[in-house]
Amino acid sequence: MHGRYIFPRWSNRVAPFALVGVLGAATTAAAALGYYGTTKHLEVGYEPVQPVPFSHKLHAGDLGMDCRYCHSTVEKSAFAAIPPTQTCMNCHDKVLTESVKLLPVRESAATDKPIPWVRVHNLPDYAYFDHSAHLAAGVGCSTCHGRVDQMVRVRQEQPLSMGWCLECHRNPGPALRDPADITKMDWQPDPAALSNVSFTAKNGRELQPPQHCSGCHR
Amino acid sequence: MPEPKPTLVCYFDTPADLFHACEKLRDTGIKHFDAHTPFPVHGLEKAMGLKPTKLPWIVLACGTTGLFGATLMQWWMSGVDYPINISGKPAAAFQAFVPLSFEVTILLSAFGCFFGLWGLTKLPKFYDPVMKHPSWHRATDDKFFVSIEPAEPKFEEARKILESLGAHEMVEVEP
Amino acid sequence: MSAASAQYAIDIDERDPSKRAPLVLGQDASFPAVTDRVAKIVEEKTPRTWLLFLALAVSLALVLAGSLAKLVWDGLGLWGLNNGVFWAWDITGFVFWIGIGHAGTLISAILFLLRQKWRTSINRAAEAMTIFAVLAALIYPTFHVGRVWLLYWVFPLPNQMSMWPNFKSPLLWDVFAVSTYATVSVLFWFVGLVPDFATLRDRAKTKTRAIVYGILSLGWRGSHRHWLTYEKAYLIFAGLSTPLVLSVHTIVSFDFATSIIPGWHTTIFPPYFVAGAVFSGFAMVVTLMVICRKAFGLENLLTIRHLENMNKIILATGSMVGYAYGMEFFIAWYSGNEYERFAFINRAFGPYAWAYWSMISCNVLAPQLFWFKKLRRSIPVMFAVGIFVNIGMWFERFVIIVTSLHRDYLPSSWSYFRPSIWDISLFVGTFGLFFTLFLLFVRFFPVIAIAEVKGVMPEADPHHHPEADHAATEAAHA
Amino acid sequence: MRRLPILGSSGKQYWRSLGELQGSAEFEASLANEFPEGATEAPSGVSRRNFLSILGASAALATLAGCRRPEEKILPYAKAPEEVIPGNALYFATALPFAGTALGLLVESHEGRPTKIEGNPRHPDSLGATNLYAQATVLDLYDPDRSQHPLERGEKRTWAEASTFLASFGQGLRTSGGKGFAVLTGAHRSPTLAKQLAKLQEVLPQAKVYAYEPLSRQNVREGAKLAFGKLLEPVRDVAKARVIAAFDSDFLALEGSAIKHARGFAETRKLDQVQDAKNLSRLYVVESSMTVTGGAADHRLRMKSGEVAGFVFALAHELAQSHGITLDGDVLASLGAAKTTNGDKAAAWVKALAKDLAANKGQSLLLAGERQPASVHAVVNLLNLALGNVGATVKFVPAFDEASDGPESLLALTKAIDAKDVETLLVLGGNPVFDAPADAEFARAFGSLMTIHVGTHVNETAAVATWHLNQAHYLESWGDVVAEDGTASIIQPLIAPLYGGKSDIEVVAAVAGIQGSGYELVRATWKAGLLDVDFERKWRRALHDGFIDGTAHRDVLPEASTADLGAAIKATKAADDGFEVTFAPDVHAYDGRFANNGWLQELPDPIYKLTWGNAALISPATARELNVTDGEHVTVDVGSGRVSLPVIVAPGQADRSVALAIGQGRRQVGRVGKDIGVDVFPLRTSAGFGFVSGATVSKGPGTTNLPRTQEHFQMEGRQLVRETTSEELLADAQVIRKMDPISPPLLSLWHDWEYKGHRWGMAVDLSTCIGCAVCVVACQAENNIPVVGPDQVLLSREMHWLRIDRYFEGTQDDPVSVSQPMTCQHCENAPCEQVCPVAATTHGPEGLNDMVYNRCIGTKYCGNNCPYKVRRFNYFNFSKREITEQRKMQYNPDVTVRTRGVMEKCSFCVQRINEAKIAAKREGLDRVPTDNVVSACAQACPTGAITFGDLNDPNSTVVKKLSLQNELGYRLLDFLNVRPRITYLAKIRNLNPELESA
């Protein structure tokens, strides 16, 4: 039969190339998703602009105010409350009363309209995190929030993913500190704790950080 | 480079003729030749003096990997990395791992067999000189082709043998 | 019907009843004839009727697409399910299609290992049917979940929840079994197709055909060095597929057998399910083959003998299934467990008795016709029985799933399941998908394994001497 | 005593009152922008949406975890109210006026949002439990269909306009001395309101005050008058009774101080050791249709309500004749004349019951149903007196007021209107246009007047009133209420009126021209009253405790004075053998006021499991006679009116007696109650107010698919609810255990997991479970369980995590009934867990069967493999469907709201467990103190049939409750070796040997 089509010689080289190409693309895609797809990449570093240029560095760092002065409920409740405008005014009706930056605060105080702060650390609604429980166990602020005392504008430091939570729940030792140091921003786990993992809070209570589902999901 | 030599291609009408031809070639100590048939002609490998294929060993290797890989994976995931109390059963309950290990064994074996086949046969290879033979289309229909590769030192001897056996359309195809 | 009766004449070998009737008949009994007969289907210009059927199938497939879209948008509430009967038409349809998907592999693998040469004419189409049936089946487990967009959680992929799937769940075993089965079937099928693609390539009249089939055939050139590995690969595939096909329906049956619901919790399920699967699979093959051989004039390649053999298998497996039905009742009574007993009495005489008895009459009674050679070899009869069997096998799964769920341990939670229009449309749609794929297959792929058929013809044997053979028969007559 | 979930040792501090905050700007502000978590945590813009967005979010976040989250705002208080700690619930005491008594309540509040109602353990009429309606009122508060503004002839008005109108209106009246002016109240028990009304009548001497209650208790009061010559109200102490006889009275669920009755009844059925079976009480019930009380009875005699009178007379006569009970001669004579016993069974009953009563003088108790005529109540009172029960099992206290609230008062009002004596009418609450007796023709009369209606909803009455004033919900307003026994409670608001409504007190005050807010008026009442000396301290104490100490009446000891009784007895109509129609409150809508409450509408009624609407109950025999089956319609005609409605063939219903539930079929109602049920008031006349005989009933056209949650009421001979009699138990302590089905020894293939710390479990005592279904509503309220609507219930897709199974044994016509609370059993070898491919349901270290909604992909396999069928699947986005801004405010922020496509089920109130555990951690404790966790169902249970706690804690209530588990305890379907964590204690009946044969 004449004019029967015959593949050109080069066609033999197509297959190997195609194979390599496809495999390469697949691996890259997987790797990319594995890295960029996680909260580690997506959440960490989130640093929204706040309605009032409040500097944690100034207040918590330079002035050395205790975190609990503003976030007063952190030891009593699941929520570390954002302070009411009242709290700001306790000082700022004497200090910097004329400051333009503080205008929104004074307005809020005058009009009783809350200041719309932008949330930085946000967990899904089906994850029930409780600040008070963690503080009671001796987990300090900086462990999850980082060196807030050095942040002019607050930034998310940790992925806050389930896997990340579990890391610590499986081996809490290195994160536990003396309740007195809870708000101590420059606290470092002492190398001893890292090696011999202790599972008791400093108040002697035995810790069993939940790893089962209903520990966090209700 | 030396200019490439052609391949000799011809065909017979029946499996029997092909069979005899191959025996002859084999006995004359001709190595670089091949038979092209529309279906596997039984016993032809003996007639051509070919060694058995290594495919089974590849499959065995893949299968074993599958078996141990799957079992190990299940044991680690449910027994070591995140042991959870499920229905009061032990975290690593091997009884429950059997079906999945089995399936993965089969799956990997199948992959080994599939890719092994094409690997060993060096396919896909879309172009091959033998296809230039004018009657090639019958090679996958009802004729039984023989090709002598250029590398064959006893090239001319082979040609004579085939002629003597009444091979049809003896053609030298350019590489 | 004259053609059929004609074969009936040819098919019994007058010369020597002890000798099996040949697998390829009449004017088709030569290599080029076989090639032509099969290749023509692909090469001739598109027949009107084919287009008509395709249009029909595609429109049904669109019904499927619509039903799925609506389902994902609105939620499973569209179906008739309730709190108690959490599975009904969905898993029924799944098991139904998976079951049908068993014949192909069985024919290509087990019959191959058993050296049953007659398989060569039917295995290609049967395997195709297998793959399409498995695809149709996969739709159900995929879409019967409430949040299909999270389905990937069933795979052990590393994730930031550091959660893994539950390897103790039969449903997870199912995921792996069915996906493995689908994959292996496709590979096996493709391996079988390569030499025939080569044939089509070499017969190609147009360049596109040559290229398309050329690529599909991977440049196959019938080299015996290739045939050597190829045959080994084929054998290994057969060896792998045989335990695989048995495991698949066994594991599907685990979904029920490992539960604690009366009527589900039954050790007989694995063999019973496999038998049922083969049963329904062969019924479907017969139904389709009967149509194909007529439509494409393959009477000489797909002989009555082929069909009869399949009907024998239908009779055998049908009887096994019937035995299993009986055994279930015996065990329920023998166990002395009031809940077991109730479950089965409720099956036969409860609100779903109608389903149970349709199952019995289709699955147990209908195949008994095949005890009679005349009926076993009658095209209309086998066609009808094939369809009955498939209806019956659907009901079997429905009976097992729904009657067991709708009345289990606590009478307070008893309920009655009614399908919604969406249950029905989805099921009908799966047939659309199945037939669309099958029609495309018969039009563009070689429906019969050309190379393999040639391989089993007497002329294929290098030591075959027609005249000697003839002499032998003469002697027998003398 | 049961304690609140998060009350640690220092629990009391939560019970602080809002008193000192009231009026302070911060407080108003905090309530005004009553954001839930929103107060500090909610996303803004979508601010209050937090609760519902939980579900949106769980889907969104789970799937779109890939993209940057949208910016979320946090709104803190500008000025934080004292003692509100964002994220921690507060509990405030208040009270709910209901059915002629008051329920003392503790209301859980999240950042100023009341979310859950609990009973006040120290209040005599709630005893820490609640009834259906109290639980559901919190949903009513957030009902989006509540009336939101004053209306003048249907036109919107502001409260400013309304107030000016009221002022001028009052002004006008005062000049005319209130001529032609009348006030129509319900049967209220508020001293402050009474005081305002009194003042009103001072300034408007010619004004009249009428009272009407569709479920009036007037017969009870009249009965006392007939027997003792003065209006008294009975206060029962069931706990002291050993023989209880209830005549057509559902005193355990719906009549009077039901919770107290039920608790008392439970007391008499408790077993601490097998020997206690000797001293169980025995409950006889004679009634026309199966009630909760009838279901709990040891002996139940079904007869028409109309025959009950004759039966009671016969009983009295028998007691006088053969058991030396002295009755006044005239009375005795008329008893002899009027007594009837229909059939041998009734006759046998009279003898046996009389004997049993006589044998238990001073510790027996007879009760008559509120719908029974006064004469029956009178005779019952006399018998209680003669049997020495008065002062022991029943006390009498002065009625709250003298005025009648029965149908006759409404007849009088209509007459006055027709006579033009009344031209302007002020209606305080209620819905007389809808629920007045048919023969009063009140609707017609009402239309002819200048009328002012005060109410929380725009109901049938509001729709035709000249003025409608939107009333503040009791959780929004100040008030007070007096319980049955006289104990007074202050009603304090949990939240500022959502729509600026005013309380009835305030409206009356406005008309009377009295100055002051509701708060001041209430304080004034009590300052002038009991709390005069050292007022502020006592006031705070009252608010803190939820009731005012020492306000309970000391009981009056009545003497028989039966001058008119004889005549009354003779006048009492005996039933004919035609059809009888009886009227009872509807479980869902009560008298119609809850018709728009989704929780109640979807609540399966305790006996026949009907949701969403009402039906006519007829006995199987009657059904055969009428040739109707479930759902087919019958036409009921009482001459004055006719109604066609579907039937339920009701085992245990008296033959030829048709039981109808009032309050459904509301015409002017919100989106929930729209087109639900059938209005039967057209059949109800002042003469036939409780029941009426001589009706004609016939098969009518039409059928309705009745959305019932249970279709099969036979137990099929399975040992699901195990029961025995006290006799058998005393004879063989193992009798229950011997009911175990024969099964091989339950071996496990592997070592069991150990539960060292807490081991949460539950005990359900079937002897004291009366199947009242309060637990079901409590569970729904606590766990954000969606309402799915009648269409979905018809597909059996109701979402209740907890259900009450009802089974009938014995004959279809005259069955014995049992009820069984059914919820997740938290099996230690949970069959649901192993089948989930993604491990969305797993076991916790304390034995909880955790269901993780956000991991669930919805294969529904777990539901299939649950032998108890307690798992519920979200077939649609039910939670989103029913949602409105207001509805969200009720959500419990500690429980995830479930999205479409996930499975859910009872979690043993894991949120309460976690709260308690975290509280313990804060206090540095290793474990949760004993009984500091109470599941919502256990807390709400009136009888204490459900107990929850730590099985590893020897002191816990649940462990004590299980002291008899080796004799009476059994685990359901134990032979499956799933190891349920719920232990059922078998039901013990205390049968009268003389009646068993009869």
Side-chain angles (χ1 to χ4, degrees), chain C residues 379-391:
Chain C
I379 300 291
V381 170
M382 67 178 77
F383 184 73
V385 170
I387 287 179
F388 274 120
V389 167
N390 275 309
I391 295 171

Side-chain angles (χ1 to χ4, degrees), chain D residues 1 65 93 107 119 141 162 169 231 296 312 377 426 444 474 595 618 709 757 798 851 898:
Chain D
M1 100 167 201
V107 183
L141 168 66
F169 176 72
L231 275 185
V312 172
H377 286 271
L426 170 63
R444 175 187 56 73
Y474 83 98
I618 57 173
T709 58
E798 65 275 2
M851 179 69 223
R898 282 77 62 185

Side-chain angles (χ1 to χ4, degrees), chain A residues 36-39 41-49 73 75-87 108-128 130 132-133 136 156 203-206 208-210 212-218, chain D residues 26 29 33 35 37 40-43 50 53-54 57-59 61-62 65-80 85-88 839-840 842-845 848 850-854 892-897 910-911 914-915 917-918 920-922 924-926:
Chain A
Y36 294 104
T38 58
T39 47
H41 173 77
L42 289 168
E43 303 284 322
V44 174
Y46 178 59
E47 186 179 348
V49 181
T73 67
E75 285 171 311
K76 302 184 221 116
S77 154
F79 301 94
I82 306 299
T85 315
Q86 257 173 336
T87 316
S108 161
T111 60
D112 265 356
K113 290 244 179 319
I115 304 169
W117 298 102
V118 181
R119 174 192 284 267
V120 180
H121 299 87
N122 188 12
L123 291 179
D125 296 304
Y126 50 70
Y128 286 83
D130 191 301
S132 63
Q156 181 168 334
N203 68 11
R205 178 168 62 87
E206 196 202 343
Q208 309 120 323
H212 61 283
C213 308
S214 62
C216 310
H217 304 296
R218 308 168 183 171
Chain D
E26 304 91 306
N33 53 4
F35 305 139
E37 240 57 72
T40 55
E41 296 294 335
N50 196 15
S53 69
I54 285 169
S58 56
L61 290 168
C67 37
R68 273 272 185 209
R69 62 161 179 266
E71 189 171 274
E72 255 187 27
K73 296 284 172 55
I74 312 173
L75 299 174
Y77 290 104
K79 299 187 184 125
I85 299 176
N88 291 0
T842 64
H843 234 64
L848 293 186
D850 300 339
M851 179 69 223
V852 192
Y853 316 118
N854 44 299
N892 179 351
D894 297 328
V895 178
T896 309
V897 175
V910 65
Q911 67 279 8
N914 284 353
E915 268 180 83
K917 282 166 72 180
I918 289 166
K921 284 179 185 166
R922 274 191 223 120
L925 307 171
D926 278 331

Side-chain angles (χ1 to χ4, degrees), chain D residues 832-833 835 841 851 859-866 871 903:
Chain D
C832 52
E833 291 170 4
V835 297
T841 180
M851 179 69 223
T859 67
K860 314 185 270 356
Y861 197 176
C862 52
N864 286 334
N865 208 26
C866 172
R871 288 180 159 261
M903 191 63 79

Side-chain angles (χ1 to χ4, degrees), chain C residues 89-310:
Chain C
W89 278 48
D90 46 2
I91 301 304
T92 304
F94 166 65
V95 184
F96 171 76
W97 280 116
I98 280 285
I100 286 175
H102 272 53
T105 319
L106 188 98
I107 292 165
S108 45
I110 298 183
L111 295 188
F112 179 81
L113 294 182
L114 298 177
R115 296 273 176 265
Q116 294 295 313
K117 292 189 166 165
W118 60 274
R119 69 179 263 290
T120 52
S121 306
I122 48 171
N123 70 333
R124 171 69 42 78
E127 285 174 51
M129 185 202 75
T130 293
I131 290 158
F132 306 148
V134 172
L135 288 183
L138 278 169
I139 287 175
Y140 280 110
T142 308
F143 285 91
H144 92 294
V145 301
R147 303 199 292 171
V148 62
W149 50 89
L150 295 176
L151 194 60
Y152 67 94
W153 282 351
V154 299
F155 299 108
L157 306 166
N159 58 73
Q160 53 188 351
M161 299 177 284
S162 65
M163 280 291 292
W164 303 113
N166 169 19
F167 295 104
K168 297 183 179 79
S169 165
L171 213 52
L172 194 78
W173 307 340
D174 238 8
V175 170
F176 279 77
V178 176
S179 48
T180 303
Y181 185 55
T183 319
V184 174
S185 308
V186 172
L187 298 182
F188 196 6
W189 189 51
F190 179 75
V191 168
L193 275 162
V194 165
D196 294 356
F197 281 138
T199 308
L200 291 176
R201 171 199 64 199
D202 295 340
R203 292 169 55 97
K205 302 259 185 317
T206 72
K207 186 172 175 186
T208 20
R209 269 182 182 284
I211 292 175
V212 173
Y213 288 119
I215 291 171
L216 286 172
S217 66
L218 307 176
W220 181 263
R221 52 186 190 279
S223 153
H224 194 75
R225 298 169 188 279
H226 293 176
W227 278 123
L228 188 55
T229 322
Y230 180 94
E231 283 197 283
K232 183 66 75 184
Y234 204 92
L235 180 64
I236 291 171
F237 263 118
L240 291 173
S241 304
T242 305
L244 176 61
V245 69
L246 297 183
S247 80
V248 172
H249 231 54
T250 303
I251 289 176
V252 169
S253 79
F254 283 170
D255 286 346
F256 309 104
T258 63
S259 81
I260 61 168
I261 300 302
W264 279 18
H265 180 68
T266 317
T267 45
I268 200 178
F269 267 6
Y272 158 19
F273 267 51
V274 172
V278 176
F279 184 47
S280 61
F282 268 86
M284 186 59 111
V285 177
V286 169
T287 319
L288 294 178
M289 288 299 111
V290 165
I291 301 169
C292 287
R293 73 198 286 271
K294 195 99 209 76
F296 303 112
L298 297 170
E299 284 87 351
N300 288 342
L301 301 181
L302 267 171
T303 66
I304 285 287
R305 176 178 154 205
H306 291 104
L307 298 171
E308 184 179 3
N309 288 350
M310 290 196 269

Side-chain angles (χ1 to χ4, degrees), chain C residues 72-74 77 79 81-83 86-87 144-147 149 166 169 255 259-261 342 408-409 412, chain D residues 63 718 795-798 805 834-837 853-854 856-861 864-865 869 873 875-876 900:
Chain C
V72 174
W73 188 256
D74 285 4
W79 289 346
L81 303 175
N82 62 40
N83 286 326
F86 289 99
W87 287 352
H144 92 294
V145 301
R147 303 199 292 171
W149 50 89
N166 169 19
S169 165
D255 286 346
S259 81
I260 61 168
I261 300 302
F342 178 86
D408 63 349
Y409 290 98
S412 60
Chain D
T63 53
R718 303 174 175 185
L795 288 164
S796 13
R797 290 178 185 169
E798 65 275 2
D805 293 347
Q834 76 195 37
V835 297
C836 176
Y853 316 118
N854 44 299
C856 178
I857 62 172
T859 67
K860 314 185 270 356
Y861 197 176
N864 286 334
N865 208 26
K869 289 287 171 282
F873 186 71
Y875 281 101
F876 289 118
R900 181 245 287 184

Side-chain angles (χ1 to χ4, degrees), chain D residues 7-125:
Chain D
L7 299 190
S9 44
S10 58
K12 275 201 161 200
Q13 86 200 26
Y14 291 103
W15 298 33
R16 295 271 293 290
S17 91
L18 282 172
E20 49 277 85
L21 297 176
Q22 166 46 245
S24 71
E26 304 91 306
F27 178 65
E28 296 295 357
S30 70
L31 292 185
N33 53 4
E34 60 327 75
F35 305 139
E37 240 57 72
T40 55
E41 296 294 335
S44 82
V46 286
S47 54
R48 309 166 203 182
R49 211 157 293 146
N50 196 15
F51 291 89
L52 124 111
S53 69
I54 285 169
L55 62 108
S58 56
L61 290 168
T63 53
L64 309 178
C67 37
R68 273 272 185 209
R69 62 161 179 266
E71 189 171 274
E72 255 187 27
K73 296 284 172 55
I74 312 173
L75 299 174
Y77 290 104
K79 299 187 184 125
E82 293 171 50
E83 79 180 30
V84 172
I85 299 176
N88 291 0
L90 298 181
Y91 292 81
F92 298 102
T94 185
L96 165 69
F98 190 81
T101 180
L103 297 181
L105 305 176
L106 293 175
V107 183
E108 179 178 358
S109 162
H110 288 268
E111 292 81 30
R113 272 178 320 117
T115 58
K116 178 77 169 68
I117 303 235
E118 306 294 0
N120 180 346
R122 297 175 55 197
H123 187 278
D125 272 16

